[in-house]
Amino acid sequence: MITPAAIVAVASSAALVILGLALLLTVWRVVAGPTLPDRILALDMLTGIAIGFIAVIAVKTGFFLYIDIAISLGLVGFLATVAFARFVLSRGNIKSPPSASAAKGGAKRRRARRTEG
């Protein structure tokens, strides 16, 4: 019969593998994210993944003081997300970069304004 300790060991190893995959995909989103809000959301997700790693390590090692560290990281991550959101709102530029056709239309409008004035 399988012991509860063996089940916890297998489950925590599987969780670490899944969290590692999520970490890689999220780092890719931070690097390749087309807009600033995408990158901010990915950084918030990285905080959540780090909290997951800390919790799994706490269960795996039996050293539950790590849970306090995870809670503290969650609070700091929340404050960082709020600060980034306020930064994005103050910039007022949360849209993705314009396409090539929109850029050409903007150039035509600028030329038309120059000839009028």
Side-chain angles (χ1 to χ4, degrees):
M1 187 167 168
I2 300 175
T3 64
I7 293 173
V8 169
V10 170
S12 61
S13 297
L16 287 175
V17 169
I18 292 169
L19 284 169
L21 180 63
L23 180 81
L24 291 175
L25 292 172
T26 306
V27 166
W28 176 76
R29 176 51 63 191
V30 169
V31 172
T35 63
L36 183 62
D38 287 333
R39 288 186 170 103
I40 292 171
L41 189 63
L43 286 172
D44 190 37
M45 188 67 195
L46 281 177
T47 304
I49 292 170
I51 291 169
F53 269 119
I54 293 169
V56 170
I57 295 298
V59 169
K60 197 170 179 85
T61 62
F63 192 60
F64 290 104
L65 185 62
Y66 289 145
I67 300 298
D68 295 336
I69 297 169
I71 291 170
S72 301
L73 181 61
L75 292 172
V76 170
F78 170 74
L79 291 175
T81 302
V82 169
F84 280 136
R86 288 186 57 110
F87 171 72
V88 168
L89 286 176
S90 70
R91 274 183 69 188
N93 183 14
I94 60 172
K95 295 180 183 175
S96 60
S99 63
S101 61
K104 288 179 184 176
K108 289 178 184 176
R109 278 179 270 163
R110 282 191 298 271
R111 274 188 250 132
R113 274 189 243 142
R114 278 189 225 145
T115 57
E116 291 173 3

